[in-house]
Each structure stands twice: as structure tokens, then as C-alpha cells.
Amino acid sequence: MIIKVSMDMVPSLTVLASELWPDASEEELKDEIAATVDDKSQGMYFVYMEGKEAVGFAQCSLRRDYVEGSTTTPVAYLEGMYVNPQYRGQGRGRELVKACEDWAREMGCVEFASDCYMDGDFEMKKAFHDAMGFTEVNRIVCYIKRI
């Protein structure tokens, strides 16, 4: 079952989010999640529950700045999604994306965007996006130089 996150779920969602974003501190994640739960007009977290256990989540937001390939504003954006490994491949990710899409429509969006890093899991991430109906619109390489 998929539910919208409430404040009492922030601790369990923080644990899941730290699996997706291990470089962020739990305190940073907790604060970000709580801020979104407090102001649902800018974003939403959906959690997939198996009984009383949170086994996956999706975070979507509204972006009003330019989004690659978009022609409208705001654009709903899949900021992150995670499903515990033992629950993958069973449609939970698809259901989480659908929940985000439904929320995006409620918020007046007609486009839904996402991105992913071209790291070791890229082929899996690309296959998931393809299966969800996303169309690749651009690839970029980012650089930085210390001066």
C-alpha cells in the first residue's frame, strides 16, 4: 500500500533515504523530509508499506526553473526513489511512480521528469526509466576546476 508521508513517518523514511543518499547525514535527510512534509505544495514523499514496514519511497517535487526537455512549468520531478532490494522487481517502483504522477496532475503539471547518474548502476536505472515511460532527452558531462 502506498501512503503520503506524515510527520510521524519521518524517522523511518530517513532510514530508507539514507540507503539512496549515503553521502548525506541522517540529520540533513530528516530535516529535508520534515520540511517537505510541512509544505506539501512544493513536493511530496510517497512510501510503500508492507504491513507496518516502510520498504520503499519516492520523492517528487515541483520545479519551476528550466528542466531539460520540458516545455511547460512547473514540471513534476522524480527527485529520488528507493525500494529495498528484497522487494524489487515486483511492481512497487511502478506504483510509486504512478503515485507521483497522480500527485503531479493534481498540482497542475503536464510533464514529469527525472534524471540519474551514469554510474555503475546506470543500465538498471535507464531500464527502469524506459519501463516507466520516460524518454531520454539529453546527456551531459559536468566538470569542475579548482582555482
Side-chain angles (χ1 to χ4, degrees), residues 75-139:
V75 174
Y77 209 91
L78 182 62
E79 300 290 351
M81 193 179 82
Y82 178 81
V83 176
N84 283 338
Q86 65 268 32
Y87 293 99
R88 293 180 187 166
Q90 302 168 30
R92 289 171 180 84
R94 180 176 299 280
E95 291 182 48
L96 285 164
V97 168
K98 183 182 179 321
C100 290
E101 290 172 351
D102 291 345
W103 174 81
R105 280 187 207 91
E106 289 173 17
M107 301 304 290
C109 297
V110 295
E111 293 180 299
F112 188 39
S114 182
D115 62 30
C116 63
Y117 287 108
M118 295 180 72
D119 57 12
D121 294 336
F122 175 71
E123 290 304 320
M124 177 189 71
K125 294 172 188 173
K126 181 180 180 338
F128 177 79
H129 281 85
D130 291 344
M132 295 301 103
F134 286 98
T135 301
E136 185 176 323
V137 295
N138 197 8
R139 289 188 187 203

Side-chain angles (χ1 to χ4, degrees), residues 51-83:
K52 295 183 180 194
E53 180 185 6
V55 300
F57 79 95
Q59 176 196 11
C60 49
S61 70
L62 298 179
R63 290 194 181 183
R64 291 176 171 80
D65 55 338
Y66 176 70
V67 173
E68 292 287 337
S70 68
T71 59
T72 63
T73 191
V75 174
Y77 209 91
L78 182 62
E79 300 290 351
M81 193 179 82
Y82 178 81
V83 176

Side-chain angles (χ1 to χ4, degrees), residues 15-78:
V15 172
L16 284 175
S18 66
E19 292 292 322
L20 181 60
W21 297 299
D23 293 336
S25 74
E26 284 198 19
E27 192 66 28
E28 288 173 306
L29 292 170
K30 183 180 82 146
D31 291 346
E32 180 182 323
I33 294 166
T36 301
V37 171
D38 192 44
D39 180 9
K40 294 177 177 69
S41 67
Q42 299 304 309
M44 182 64 65
Y45 283 87
F46 293 94
V47 175
Y48 198 106
M49 300 295 294
E50 279 294 329
K52 295 183 180 194
E53 180 185 6
V55 300
F57 79 95
Q59 176 196 11
C60 49
S61 70
L62 298 179
R63 290 194 181 183
R64 291 176 171 80
D65 55 338
Y66 176 70
V67 173
E68 292 287 337
S70 68
T71 59
T72 63
T73 191
V75 174
Y77 209 91
L78 182 62

